[in-house]
Amino acid sequence: EKEGYEHFMIKEIHEQPKGVSETLLRRLDTDENIVLDGIKLTKEDLENINKVYIVACGTAYHAGLVGRYAIEKFAKIPVEVDVASEFRYRDPFVDDKTLFIAVSQSGETLDTLAALREAKRKGARILSIVNVVGSSVARESDDVFYTWAGPEIAVASTKAYTTQLVAMYLVALHMSSVKGTLTKDQYDGIIKELKTMPEKVKNILDNHTRIQHLADGQFNNESVFFMGRGLDVHVAHEGSLKLKEISYINSFAIAAGELKHGTIALIEDGTLVVALATQDRLYDKMLSNIQEVRARGAFVVGVAKEGNKEIEKTADVVLYVPDTMDELTPILSVIPLQLLAYYIAVARGCDVDKPKNLAKSVTVE
Ligand code: M6R
């Protein structure tokens, strides 16, 4: 069932244009209004809500971080994001004015389910973003937004993440249209751009050989740093998780502005740094951060939007993603990071689909 691919992970990476497109188009009517069938969040419901909690684990948590940005920016509702294992034990402030959004591919992650039950007990309205139909998280929620990634087999989550992002954007846009927080032009512009995502993801996938070659030269690194600013930080965390879980390389991610507050001490000759610089507003700041690590000997792989060429002067290698609005870049910028993690793990001879110590769904604490 790998359909000619060597691993499920790479097959699932290549299924993303389809997953993104299905998740999107099934929720748009011919007038490009968002149809959230089965999701009953009315104007009155949303008027009652003064706070959103997004709770999840691992990759789903990283999608939640992007969700926070989208909901705050588009719908102007304050959002907190938490990992489920922390949320459930810290007595968070939740009441009947809280919308609790659980994000889970499997819908069976124990901590996420326990957090959901805790929020429900406190009176929150429960919306879940889930991939597996009829799963526990879906069954226990008031409303469910199903992602259309299709079955995800590889332990490393890829297509679930990009479809969760689409779901997050649609939920945020739906909230904004009910609350009237975006102009029609703004709303239409975002939907129009979202519709270009499947093609843009495909474009990155079609150019995967460059990333493969890069991985072949970088697979021996003992540690890898990912950094970014704004939305790029969240993608940096996702790229770092992907790499460590399948290649066992010690990798971590930081907000680039935090470099000088400690992490830069670890940069030495040859350290691999993956620097995401897709946010127009923060581009120049990222270029300075790249210079800082390069001055200490780092080998920098930059990720930037096509057309932003200045980065070539500071980074050693640049991986370009097609141009899009800053808010939507995570759907694109995560793709080179998934590919990089995959090809590095393959070059290291790792069991990519079944990394050691990990299970596909974590149904114990
Ligand atoms: O099924 P879920 O989305 O609830 O799973 C959450 C995490 O266990 C999952 O994303 C995990 O972090 C993946 N192995 C990451 O690739």
Side-chain angles (χ1 to χ4, degrees):
E1 344 142 3
K2 288 184 203 144
E3 292 165 19
Y5 288 100
E6 202 182 333
H7 298 98
F8 281 109
M9 182 180 175
I10 191 71
K11 171 176 175 261
E12 290 163 5
I13 287 174
H14 282 274
E15 283 169 349
Q16 291 179 108
K18 182 159 178 273
V20 165
S21 145
E22 296 260 318
T23 303
L24 183 64
L25 298 182
R26 280 171 192 273
R27 294 291 184 181
L28 290 181
D29 68 14
T30 42
D31 294 326
E32 316 228 308
N33 292 312
I34 297 171
V35 246
L36 297 187
D37 284 345
I39 298 179
K40 302 170 289 291
L41 281 175
T42 61
K43 191 167 170 49
E44 293 72 52
D45 292 336
L46 283 174
E47 266 160 10
N48 179 47
I49 283 158
N50 61 15
K51 179 183 195 177
V52 177
Y53 256 112
I54 305 177
V55 176
C57 301
T59 287
Y61 167 70
H62 296 152
L65 292 167
V66 176
R68 172 177 66 194
Y69 185 97
I71 294 174
E72 291 196 333
K73 179 135 195 194
F74 300 160
K76 315 277 181 242
I77 305 175
V79 183
E80 282 204 46
V81 193
D82 211 346
V83 289
S85 56
E86 288 300 312
F87 177 91
R88 60 181 287 206
Y89 292 119
R90 80 180 161 84
D91 200 12
F93 182 80
V94 169
D95 62 11
D96 62 358
K97 294 191 177 334
T98 306
L99 173 66
F100 177 95
I101 306 182
V103 189
S104 177
Q105 187 285 128
S106 62
E108 301 298 345
T109 302
L110 182 79
D111 279 321
T112 306
L113 193 57
L116 179 159
R117 288 178 181 151
E118 175 65 9
K120 202 178 200 178
R121 199 180 58 75
K122 291 181 163 175
R125 169 87 177 235
I126 315 287
L127 165 66
S128 60
I129 296 177
V130 177
N131 194 46
V132 177
V133 177
S135 55
S136 306
V137 168
R139 277 186 279 115
E140 297 196 25
S141 303
D142 297 311
D143 299 299
V144 187
F145 186 123
Y146 282 113
T147 47
W148 281 85
E152 194 181 63
I153 311 284
V155 164
S157 185
T158 54
K159 60 179 182 170
Y161 175 76
T162 39
T163 56
Q164 282 158 357
L165 294 182
V166 173
M168 281 292 177
Y169 289 122
L170 291 180
V171 167
L173 286 170
H174 173 70
M175 287 175 167
S176 82
S177 65
V178 175
K179 292 192 70 197
T181 41
L182 291 177
T183 64
K184 185 163 180 343
D185 277 0
Q186 287 170 326
Y187 176 95
D188 290 347
I190 300 167
I191 295 277
K192 186 163 168 245
E193 192 55 32
L194 268 172
K195 289 171 91 173
T196 68
M197 289 293 130
E199 202 42 49
K200 289 179 178 171
V201 171
K202 188 169 175 301
N203 173 296
I204 304 168
L205 293 171
D206 288 346
N207 293 301
H208 67 273
T209 41
R210 252 196 97 215
I211 300 175
Q212 196 168 356
H213 290 144
L214 176 65
D216 287 343
Q218 292 296 328
F219 71 92
N220 258 331
N221 278 278
E222 273 165 31
S223 61
V224 179
F225 295 83
F226 290 78
M227 64 177 187
R229 286 170 177 259
L231 278 174
D232 282 342
V233 188
H234 309 322
V235 180
H237 276 103
E238 175 54 12
S240 169
L241 174 63
K242 221 78 311 168
L243 182 67
K244 76 176 73 154
E245 73 177 322
I246 60 170
S247 75
Y248 318 131
I249 293 175
N250 186 356
S251 82
F252 64 96
I254 59 159
E258 282 288 288
L259 262 181
K260 287 197 195 64
H261 300 283
T263 307
I264 201 158
L266 295 174
I267 306 290
E268 48 189 40
D269 242 4
T271 306
L272 176 58
V273 174
V274 179
L276 289 109
T278 70
Q279 303 295 292
D280 290 342
R281 212 162 43 93
L282 300 162
Y283 186 58
D284 291 339
K285 297 227 178 295
M286 273 308 297
L287 296 189
S288 320
N289 291 131
I290 292 173
Q291 259 152 5
E292 283 157 16
V293 294
R294 274 208 75 201
R296 285 157 186 86
F299 180 86
V300 179
V301 174
V303 178
K305 289 197 285 205
E306 234 143 64
N308 287 350
K309 286 210 169 301
E310 301 90 318
I311 190 171
E312 287 174 17
K313 292 190 204 125
T314 42
D316 295 273
V317 176
V318 183
L319 304 175
Y320 286 107
V321 297
D323 193 17
T324 188
M325 50 177 64
D326 278 9
E327 290 82 350
L328 302 184
T329 52
I331 300 178
L332 303 180
S333 54
V334 75
I335 310 288
L337 306 193
Q338 295 170 343
L339 290 166
L340 192 62
Y342 173 76
Y343 286 118
I344 286 181
V346 169
R348 288 165 74 88
C350 299
D351 186 354
V352 174
D353 283 338
K354 286 199 168 49
K356 64 179 183 197
N357 306 341
L358 292 173
K360 180 62 182 161
S361 65
V362 184
T363 51
V364 290
E365 265 199 72

